Amino acid sequence: MLGKTEIFKAFVKPKFRDKVLVPEISWINPVLENIRSEAGNDFIQYLHFLQLAKEPNLMALSSTHHYYYDFNDLKSIKTLINLKKLNNIKSLGSFLHTVVRILPQKANFVGYFKNDTGNRSVFSFYQTTKFFNGLANYLDSRTDRSLTKIEVSRLLEDHKLKVVDITDINGMTYFCSQNNR
């Protein structure tokens, strides 16, 4: 720190020397930092709740970067985390079919979606908004499909992904499923 030990000893009281000289090393998991930057702290909290945050062999599918993986890249994965909301995946059935095919048996698949709770106090306004959103999505070639917990649970089960947990956190619904093919 100061280059000369004698100068350091003169400035720091003896009872604090050992604590000052031992640096605290904090290790940051790059996968968790990627999840935090793309999906936020709520996703990290959900992984801690499931006790998956410290598990080895975690892999996160980025919502912004596209990578190509082969079978050997994924055969040791214990947990695959999808950072793109299910609402925004165009061919959701095809995507889930691929996930099930490549994930090892008993591996976890974790993701999230915006839950359409069905609370519609003004029915006509909701229908008009839904119509315009659907039209805008079609014209923009975007996907922002409306999903409910029941629909997502059924879709996961249909693709041989057993739902282990499904939890609402701050307006988003997070799920954990397990490959049972």
Side-chain angles (χ1 to χ4, degrees):
M1 285 169 66
L2 295 174
K4 297 210 178 230
T5 310
E6 297 80 30
I7 297 172
F8 180 75
K9 287 180 181 175
F11 282 87
V12 179
K13 294 181 181 179
K15 67 179 180 179
F16 294 114
R17 281 188 200 136
D18 293 334
K19 291 182 182 178
V20 174
L21 293 176
V22 177
E24 184 180 322
I25 298 172
S26 67
W27 181 75
I28 298 173
N29 185 337
V31 174
L32 293 179
E33 282 306 307
N34 186 31
I35 294 168
R36 184 184 319 279
S37 68
E38 287 192 41
N41 285 329
D42 290 340
F43 210 135
I44 298 293
Q45 288 176 354
Y46 182 64
L47 292 174
H48 281 289
F49 166 74
L50 294 173
Q51 298 180 348
L52 293 175
K54 294 182 181 179
E55 286 289 319
N57 300 328
L58 277 175
M59 181 179 210
L61 295 176
S62 175
S63 62
T64 56
H65 300 38
H66 301 286
Y67 303 103
Y68 295 96
Y69 303 99
D70 65 4
F71 179 75
N72 292 329
D73 293 331
L74 299 170
K75 68 181 177 184
S76 65
I77 296 299
K78 298 278 192 246
T79 301
L80 181 65
I81 301 166
N82 181 37
L83 298 179
K84 188 171 190 173
K85 282 192 313 184
L86 293 184
N87 310 73
N88 297 337
I89 297 175
K90 281 187 180 182
S91 301
L92 187 53
S94 177
F95 171 72
L96 292 174
H97 177 74
T98 304
V99 166
V100 169
R101 243 184 49 235
I102 61 172
L103 268 185
Q105 191 171 4
K106 301 296 181 194
N108 298 311
F109 176 63
V110 182
Y112 72 115
F113 62 97
K114 177 87 170 127
N115 186 12
D116 181 12
T117 58
N119 294 337
R120 300 173 189 106
S121 58
V122 182
F123 185 72
S124 62
F125 175 74
Y126 172 77
Q127 290 293 9
T128 305
T129 304
K130 190 172 182 178
F131 171 75
F132 284 120
N133 284 343
L135 182 62
N137 289 340
Y138 177 75
L139 294 174
D140 287 348
S141 296
R142 290 185 314 135
T143 303
D144 192 13
R145 79 173 37 93
S146 175
L147 294 171
T148 64
K149 284 183 185 181
I150 293 170
E151 290 170 334
V152 169
S153 296
R154 187 175 300 132
L155 194 59
L156 292 170
E157 294 284 343
D158 287 347
H159 286 88
K160 307 292 186 242
L161 289 162
K162 179 185 174 202
V163 177
V164 176
D165 180 75
I166 191 159
T167 302
D168 292 319
I169 303 173
N170 294 329
M172 291 300 215
T173 302
Y174 298 85
F175 67 89
C176 178
S177 60
Q178 192 174 64
N179 189 1
N180 281 335
R181 66 170 165 86

